[in-house]
Amino acid sequence: MLSARQISFIEGQQVARLATADGNGVPHIVPVCFVLIRENVYIALDAKPKRTTTLRLKRVLNITENPRVSLLFDRYDNDWTKLAWVRLDGDAEMLLGSPERQEALGLLRERYAQYESLLPENSPVIAVRISHASSWGDLG
Amino acid sequence: MLSARQISFIEGQQVARLATADGNGVPHIVPVCFVLIRENVYIALDAKPKRTTTLRLKRVLNITENPRVSLLFDRYDNDWTKLAWVRLDGDAEMLLGSPERQEALGLLRERYAQYESLLPENSPVIAVRISHASSWGDLG
């Protein structure tokens, strides 16, 4: 579903933005660290400071009520001929204990050195199952 | 509603991300240029290349079905002690012909030199009426 250029663009980004919506369709958006593995994006509920416990985060409550999510990977530049984005839409699933979750945590630790002390073994992971990809601009 | 630090952080960003959701609660996310005026954020449907006419854009269709939106202004840094974001939630309204729209277009042209040739006088504008602000991290 994803082209080589889309994959390369996504892998070149350090941060993405995740939009969820609650059961009443009220949207919510957060910046996220991520790893793309085949046609799944994995996002950990890590140990960066938060205002509530991880499983009470609004993104988690929304996914439980409504699994549809949208992820944006974009590049801004003052030269607007260089603007570009890839958007991935799909369904999110909470991973609390599977081997898939362990694999994702390992790859997140490889991708972000900062996770060395911020990603406990028991961190929950959001898996986004991509159902649609779109992109715009010069993916370069 | 917004603190001086939140306003200063938002004004320091060149790009924000806008999340909308359709009438079924399916979220959608796009990067946007913006201007903050008092407790409104204005986003033009400008002349950057798009895949459809401006009023058929998914963000516009969603707002028509469901005015609730969420806007994220964030800063990523490899030093995670410098991560920060401000999120504004509210209701969006399409401005097609009002004096408010003209004022917003003028301020967008001041804010983005790139708009000189990309913001026709008749550009529609999305006005987001902010109802809630939240923030995280080192806005300083």
Side-chain angles (χ1 to χ4, degrees), chain A residues 4 43 47 81 83 88 93 100 107 114-115 117-119 130:
Chain A
I43 298 160
T81 65
L83 300 179
L88 303 179
E93 182 183 344
E100 185 184 11
L107 291 166
Q114 302 93 328
Y115 265 149
S117 61
L118 289 171
L119 200 60
I130 303 166

Side-chain angles (χ1 to χ4, degrees), chain B residues 20-119:
Chain B
T20 60
D22 70 13
N24 295 317
V26 179
H28 185 260
I29 179 171
V30 285
V32 292
C33 295
F34 68 93
V35 64
L36 172 70
I37 311 176
R38 296 173 298 271
E39 301 206 332
N40 302 282
V41 175
Y42 297 97
I43 299 159
L45 302 181
D46 57 41
K48 289 202 290 296
K50 295 184 171 56
R51 281 174 296 186
T52 186
T53 56
T54 54
L55 294 180
R56 298 196 60 184
L57 286 168
K58 185 66 175 162
R59 72 201 78 169
V60 176
L61 301 177
N62 281 2
I63 287 168
T64 306
E65 289 181 16
N66 171 12
R68 302 295 296 267
V69 303
S70 186
L71 269 166
L72 184 72
F73 309 84
D74 71 87
R75 178 179 58 217
Y76 186 80
D77 194 289
N78 285 327
D79 175 357
W80 285 6
T81 65
K82 295 184 182 159
L83 299 180
W85 54 255
V86 178
R87 184 172 51 233
L88 302 179
D89 300 304
D91 284 354
E93 181 183 343
M94 292 301 306
L95 304 181
L96 300 176
S98 66
E100 184 183 14
R101 183 183 66 91
Q102 293 297 338
E103 182 193 0
L105 290 176
L107 291 165
L108 283 162
R109 284 194 197 95
E110 283 179 25
R111 184 163 154 75
Y112 297 95
Q114 302 93 331
Y115 265 149
E116 192 172 350
S117 60
L118 288 171
L119 201 60

Side-chain angles (χ1 to χ4, degrees), chain A:
Chain A
M1 188 186 323
L2 289 167
S3 71
R5 285 166 74 94
Q6 289 173 333
I7 292 169
S8 170
F9 182 84
I10 290 170
E11 291 181 340
Q13 307 297 316
Q14 295 295 297
V15 62
R17 283 83 190 181
L18 171 71
T20 60
D22 69 14
N24 294 316
V26 179
H28 184 263
I29 178 170
V30 286
V32 291
C33 294
F34 68 93
V35 65
L36 173 70
I37 310 175
R38 296 173 298 271
E39 303 206 331
N40 302 281
V41 175
Y42 296 97
I43 298 160
L45 302 181
D46 57 42
K48 288 201 289 297
K50 295 185 173 56
R51 283 175 296 185
T52 185
T53 55
T54 54
L55 293 180
R56 298 195 60 184
L57 286 168
K58 184 66 175 162
R59 72 202 78 170
V60 176
L61 301 177
N62 281 1
I63 288 167
T64 306
E65 288 182 18
N66 171 12
R68 302 294 296 267
V69 303
S70 185
L71 268 167
L72 184 71
F73 309 83
D74 72 86
R75 177 179 60 217
Y76 186 78
D77 194 291
N78 285 327
D79 175 355
W80 284 6
T81 65
K82 294 182 183 160
L83 300 179
W85 54 255
V86 177
R87 184 171 53 235
L88 303 179
D89 300 304
D91 284 354
E93 182 183 344
M94 294 301 306
L95 305 181
L96 299 176
S98 65
E100 185 184 11
R101 185 183 67 91
Q102 293 297 339
E103 182 194 0
L105 290 175
L107 291 166
L108 282 162
R109 286 195 195 92
E110 284 179 24
R111 183 163 156 76
Y112 296 95
Q114 302 93 328
Y115 265 149
E116 191 172 351
S117 61
L118 289 171
L119 200 60
E121 276 302 314
N122 63 350
S123 299
V125 167
I126 299 169
V128 177
R129 315 303 187 187
I130 303 166
S131 56
H132 184 73
S134 52
S135 52
W136 178 90
D138 176 15
L139 298 182

